[in-house]
Amino acid sequence: MISIRSEKNNVTAASAIKKVFIWDLDETIIIFHSLLTGAYAETYQKDAQSTVNLGLRMEDMIFNLADTHLFFNDLEECDQVHIEDVASKDTGQELHNYNFSADGFSAPAQQGALNKAAVGGAAWFRKLAFRYRRIREIYTACADNVNKLLGPQKYQSWVELRNEVDSMTDNWLGLSMQALQLITSARTVLTSW
């Protein structure tokens, strides 16, 4: 899940620093794993096949989104602690017509023995920075409009899945959304998550 907040320390809104928090969904949202494995059904006396099917649908939707829009295959093995770690490598090149799939970038694990030297080089970090900037652009454009990102058909599938998961988990998603709203409305940024 990606969340963005402005940190305001006696500055005007125009000069507020924006922070982007990226959580690794398959490690952070425990409900996903427990649905997928059937552990949720066992613990809360729910229908095991139904919970596993919900988990599989979530998995498909998450990986489809990550692969399609967030460069999951490219970034999965990149060991960047923070999106800003490579911002200084970004040349500001226009990305509207940039062909990410043909720029020769690959994650460290995908590099062959002869190409290991390319990982960590200036061109590799520049391409990595382009991907992070594109993720930020996508988030900025779609943060409040998931329909714009997914399109009408996938959006409707997402809404249906959310409702089914919320129903199956006794309002787990609703409570999670309330927690996230509290976090995003807080005036200060918590640094020890």
Side-chain angles (χ1 to χ4, degrees):
M1 170 170 287
I2 302 175
S3 175
I4 191 167
R5 297 225 331 255
S6 292
E7 182 180 274
K8 297 175 183 165
N9 294 328
N10 299 323
V11 294
T12 64
S15 65
I17 299 170
K18 294 206 175 197
K19 303 262 184 192
V20 175
F21 299 93
I22 300 176
W23 289 288
D24 187 355
L25 289 175
D26 61 355
E27 292 177 18
T28 303
I29 300 180
I30 296 168
I31 195 73
F32 167 64
H33 186 261
S34 67
L35 287 173
L36 195 57
T37 64
Y40 186 87
E42 185 177 322
T43 302
Y44 297 100
Q45 292 79 46
K46 303 284 183 171
D47 178 63
Q49 190 58 50
S50 295
T51 61
V52 169
N53 285 340
L54 282 175
L56 289 170
R57 287 173 53 204
M58 285 176 71
E59 179 180 57
D60 182 58
M61 190 163 283
I62 290 166
F63 286 122
N64 186 314
L65 173 77
D67 286 341
T68 304
H69 301 287
L70 305 176
F71 307 102
F72 178 76
N73 287 324
D74 288 352
L75 302 177
E76 181 179 22
E77 299 297 325
C78 294
D79 192 21
Q80 297 306 124
V81 174
H82 193 277
I83 197 168
E84 292 298 325
D85 288 351
V86 294
S88 64
K89 308 299 183 198
D90 191 335
T91 62
Q93 177 179 334
E94 172 59 46
L95 299 178
H96 181 69
N97 292 318
Y98 187 81
N99 188 346
F100 287 98
S101 61
D103 71 355
F105 180 88
S106 62
Q110 297 169 339
Q111 290 284 337
L114 297 176
N115 294 328
K116 287 280 188 197
V119 174
W124 187 86
F125 276 112
R126 184 182 71 252
K127 294 170 188 176
L128 179 62
F130 288 171
R131 281 158 174 75
Y132 283 146
R133 177 163 42 108
R134 181 64 188 132
I135 291 169
R136 186 183 310 232
E137 289 171 355
I138 290 168
Y139 181 81
T140 300
C142 302
D144 296 323
N145 188 352
V146 176
N147 189 18
K148 181 178 178 180
L149 178 65
L150 298 177
Q153 187 175 9
K154 286 185 181 180
Y155 176 76
Q156 185 58 41
S157 295
W158 175 72
V159 168
E160 290 169 8
L161 179 60
R162 277 187 55 170
N163 290 337
E164 289 176 49
V165 168
D166 212 28
S167 176
M168 177 68 72
T169 60
D170 303 319
N171 199 32
W172 185 85
L173 284 173
L175 294 172
S176 298
M177 290 303 295
Q178 286 178 4
L180 287 172
Q181 287 170 348
L182 286 172
I183 291 168
T184 58
S185 67
R187 291 182 160 248
T188 58
V189 175
L190 302 174
T191 57
S192 58
W193 294 16

